[in-house]
Amino acid sequence: MRRKLLITGSAAIVFAAAGCTTPAGPASSTSAISATFPPGIASASSSAEGTVVRFTSGETAVDVTIESDNPTTRDFLSMLPLTLSVEEFAGREKISQLPRKLETDRSPGSDPEDGDLIYYAPWGNIGFYYDTDGIGYSDQTIHLGTYDGSVEQLSRLEGGDVTAEVIHQQ
């Protein structure tokens, strides 16, 4: 009986000690985000800059070149491919609600320009700006990349399913 208690007590100490260990090195949200990238899209040693994301609906395609390497762009890329819907908003941009909010810590705000794809943190949506007249800098508007499409091309993305997928990674 005494031997049984000794073995049980020893096992409990071993399990308790194993649960108290900490991983080697600090974990950061950037490394956690990098780990969620699909294979070949990004890793801790690669950059999101230069990645091309294509938004396609029917015969229309709009390519966006990612210009920033930050937690928000990496988190956005980790969600791809995905299917979205695009709609007009305020005569300034075409927007799409993402399935979840993106990581925004350590991602700088921006002063958007026509041709920018942005992430608007409070609403959790992306926006294709085409008329930024009078819009200024905001910490809540995070620049993802730029596109060359026309307003007509953006309009053709509305009303149906839009596929967003990586077509090129630097």
Side-chain angles (χ1 to χ4, degrees):
M1 178 74 151
R2 186 175 212 195
R3 184 176 174 175
K4 201 178 214 179
L5 287 173
L6 182 60
I7 292 172
T8 304
S10 298
I13 291 171
V14 169
F15 288 125
C20 294
T21 62
T22 58
S28 71
S29 59
T30 301
S31 62
I33 291 168
S34 295
T36 65
F37 271 78
I41 299 301
S43 67
S45 63
S46 69
S47 173
E49 287 182 64
T51 300
V52 178
V53 177
R54 179 166 289 160
F55 292 81
T56 309
S57 179
E59 298 297 315
T60 301
V62 175
D63 291 349
V64 174
T65 301
I66 302 298
E67 295 182 336
S68 303
D69 186 28
N70 59 53
T72 305
T73 56
R74 287 178 169 268
D75 197 16
F76 173 65
L77 292 173
S78 77
M79 297 175 79
L80 303 179
L82 63 105
T83 302
L84 304 166
S85 62
V86 173
E87 63 185 83
E88 173 60 37
F89 182 73
R92 295 183 173 276
E93 64 183 308
K94 305 293 184 182
I95 64 170
S96 182
Q97 191 66 36
L98 295 175
R100 64 171 172 78
K101 289 192 172 192
L102 299 178
E103 172 66 42
T104 58
D105 288 345
R106 297 177 320 283
S107 295
S110 70
D111 186 2
E113 297 178 10
D114 294 353
D116 283 355
L117 178 70
I118 58 91
Y119 174 69
Y120 187 61
W123 294 352
N125 69 287
I126 56 173
F128 293 86
Y129 268 118
Y130 61 85
D131 182 6
T132 56
D133 189 38
I135 297 176
Y137 177 88
S138 172
D139 286 332
Q140 301 297 310
T141 303
I142 300 169
H143 179 79
L144 299 177
T146 59
Y147 68 93
D148 288 328
S150 66
V151 176
E152 291 77 27
Q153 281 178 291
L154 293 175
S155 293
R156 288 193 298 265
L157 294 177
E158 293 180 73
D161 286 344
V162 175
T163 301
E165 61 188 334
V166 172
I167 61 163
H168 175 73
Q169 201 258 333
Q170 288 292 87

